[in-house]
Amino acid sequence: MNQSGYQLVTDLPESMLPWRDRPTRWENASPSTGPYRLNSAGEYLYYPDGGSTGFDHPVGQAQFGLGCIASYRTETDPARKALFLTRARAQAERLIAQHTEARGAWWFGYGFPFTHAVHSGVDYQAPWYSGMAQGEILSLFVQLGELDGVCEADRTRYMAAAAGTLASLLVHDEAEPWCVNVDHAGYLWIQEYPGATPGAGDYTYNGMIFAMFGLYDYARATGSQAAADLYDACATTIARYFPLLRNTRWHSYYCQTHRAPAPTYHQHHINLFRQLHWQTGSPDFAEHTDRLVDDFPAPGVSGTVRFEAGSHTLYRFDTAASGAWAAVKDDALLETKNVTFNQATQAPASMRRRIHDRGIHYLISSGAYAGWWVGESWSRAFLRGIHLATLYRPARTVTFPGGSVPVEAYKVAADGTVTSVKTVTFTNPSNAPTDRRAIVNGRPCFQITAGGLTGYWAPASAVAVDSEPATTN
């Protein structure tokens, strides 16, 4: 299998470790209705169509348990803290009790048949197995074993379960069951949906990365070289196939086999690649994150749009009532209007998003032009403020051009007010560290963290930034 030499960063701050960003809210700690709910033992089961018979759903159980662990880590109320731990342990105990052993590994089967509504070839009878589930359950066992509320005997038991689970990711598709294979080009895949024959599968991106978090957790907790090597191979695969995951200027693709754009998964991809950058310290995954943010930024951004004096074109698009993209409407252009402002003005906007086959636009939410969209164009029309920041760890390197090319850098208040401007020129290219990228007053910028420009934002269009993988090969 191909490996590039990605190294694990094992001393991340707590908030950057896997699953810390997905806590279970207190009001969701005891689900009692709907298709996913707890039984009398506190075990999270799947009840198809809201029926009375519950089935094992390993991904659901792992994610619910990991969410409870995330909440346990930050909860200060003793009673709530105790319940979060009880909930997490119930899922682990259920998985341990229900596991099967084959090929020297632990496997966790789905207890119900499943046919994917859209993706051909994803058609299973129970029990069936998923690499995403195996990796997430690995995280569940490891993270439980790290908690201060777990006794030494149970800690040992959970880590033994983790070792058995890791073993399932070390065997390939030569026999059943399997969830890992190496493709024709030598790249290793953890299959969320393994196919019916060796090497077949959906080649799903998000499922593989979630499984990688289990490898990260295990390697970080135990020093396992086998887990670290497998993570390296997976990271090598994800980096190699990023151009196939990416759908330039639109929603990224869900899987390699079907190449269907995934509106509901694009923001997951952004978050997952951001974590790959943190876990490896490699600039290429930060660059991938930036590209995905620009392709289809999170639409939950609102604020105030500033218009320069002069003429502007406004648009009406066929969207959902909220302004969100709707597949059946597909942002069809309905109407345009030209307006002229004698002086700079501003208007409130309820949404910033990419319009299909067009650029980034803002939806005006009140006033004379409510319901109209205007295209983002610095400095003619832009959303004031600092939005959609991506934190880099470690810092990346920005390079200012040589040749005495002037670059303006800005200090900006939270509301978008520019408080200082510096124009810099360098005879030779000059480097500076940056700890984050954000959309600042309508354009991507990097925040400089050292030297005379500390705290200033440099426009991405005026500088270069490192993007090569940080590997040992």
Side-chain angles (χ1 to χ4, degrees), residues 182-207:
V182 176
D183 69 15
H184 66 282
Y187 291 93
L188 183 138
W189 289 84
I190 299 176
Q191 296 282 0
E192 179 177 354
Y193 296 116
T197 58
D202 224 29
Y203 291 82
T204 307
Y205 302 110
N206 87 92

Side-chain angles (χ1 to χ4, degrees), residues 308-312 338-343 369:
E308 264 188 356
S311 62
H312 297 265
N338 292 320
V339 298
T340 300
F341 303 120
N342 294 326
Q343 59 185 13
Y369 305 112

Side-chain angles (χ1 to χ4, degrees), residues 91-105:
Q91 311 324 309
E93 297 300 333
R94 173 79 182 195
L95 289 162
I96 290 171
Q98 296 295 113
H99 87 275
T100 60
E101 296 187 34
R103 307 183 66 195

Side-chain angles (χ1 to χ4, degrees), residues 118-282:
V118 177
H119 293 187
S120 59
V122 180
D123 188 5
Y124 299 118
Q125 296 298 313
W128 55 278
Y129 305 96
S130 165
M132 180 179 181
Q134 298 294 124
E136 291 185 353
I137 292 167
L138 181 57
S139 276
L140 176 65
F141 290 143
V142 171
Q143 291 196 26
L144 262 179
E146 294 177 321
L147 297 184
D148 55 6
V150 173
C151 70
E152 191 59 36
D154 284 341
R155 194 183 322 278
T156 299
R157 195 162 55 89
Y158 290 141
M159 292 309 297
T165 305
L166 173 67
S168 70
L169 301 174
L170 298 174
V171 296
H172 292 185
D173 54 341
E174 299 90 353
E176 296 285 347
W178 67 273
C179 62
V180 174
N181 69 287
V182 176
D183 69 15
H184 66 282
Y187 291 93
L188 183 138
W189 289 84
I190 299 176
Q191 296 282 0
E192 179 177 354
Y193 296 116
T197 58
D202 224 29
Y203 291 82
T204 307
Y205 302 110
N206 87 92
M208 176 159 162
I209 298 174
F210 275 122
M212 289 170 64
F213 292 174
L215 299 173
Y216 175 87
D217 276 336
Y218 191 86
R220 177 184 53 79
T222 69
S224 167
Q225 190 60 50
D229 287 344
L230 189 55
Y231 185 104
D232 176 20
C234 291
T236 300
T237 299
I238 292 296
R240 162 61 181 84
Y241 288 108
F242 176 75
L244 293 181
L245 174 147
R246 188 184 178 199
N247 184 14
T248 304
R249 294 168 62 86
W250 200 236
H251 309 119
S252 48
Y253 294 109
Y254 177 78
C255 69
Q256 188 168 298
T257 295
H258 298 93
R259 293 189 56 75
T264 58
Y265 280 86
H266 184 81
Q267 300 307 317
H268 287 308
H269 288 161
I270 290 172
N271 187 42
L272 293 172
F273 273 87
R274 183 179 291 125
Q275 292 186 69
L276 291 181
H277 164 59
W278 296 341
Q279 290 169 17
T280 62
S282 188

Side-chain angles (χ1 to χ4, degrees), residues 270 273-274 284-294 390:
I270 290 172
F273 273 87
R274 183 179 291 125
D284 55 341
F285 291 122
E287 183 68 15
H288 297 161
T289 304
D290 295 344
R291 298 287 71 76
L292 294 174
V293 168
D294 290 346
T390 289

Side-chain angles (χ1 to χ4, degrees), residues 341-417:
F341 303 120
N342 294 326
Q343 59 185 13
T345 188
Q346 59 188 35
S350 59
M351 183 174 292
R352 174 190 185 268
R353 76 165 177 91
R354 183 173 295 282
I355 299 297
H356 198 190
D357 293 329
R358 295 176 181 266
I360 304 297
H361 285 66
Y362 310 123
L363 176 59
I364 307 304
S365 56
S366 66
Y369 305 112
W372 291 85
W373 297 79
V374 62
E376 179 174 270
S377 177
W378 190 89
S379 61
R380 288 179 42 75
F382 61 86
L383 191 70
R384 293 171 59 95
I386 302 170
H387 303 283
L388 300 179
T390 289
L391 179 64
Y392 300 136
R393 190 183 192 276
R396 297 176 73 187
T397 300
V398 161
T399 301
F400 288 82
S404 299
V405 174
V407 175
E408 286 188 338
Y410 306 84
K411 274 194 174 178
V412 180
D415 66 355
T417 300

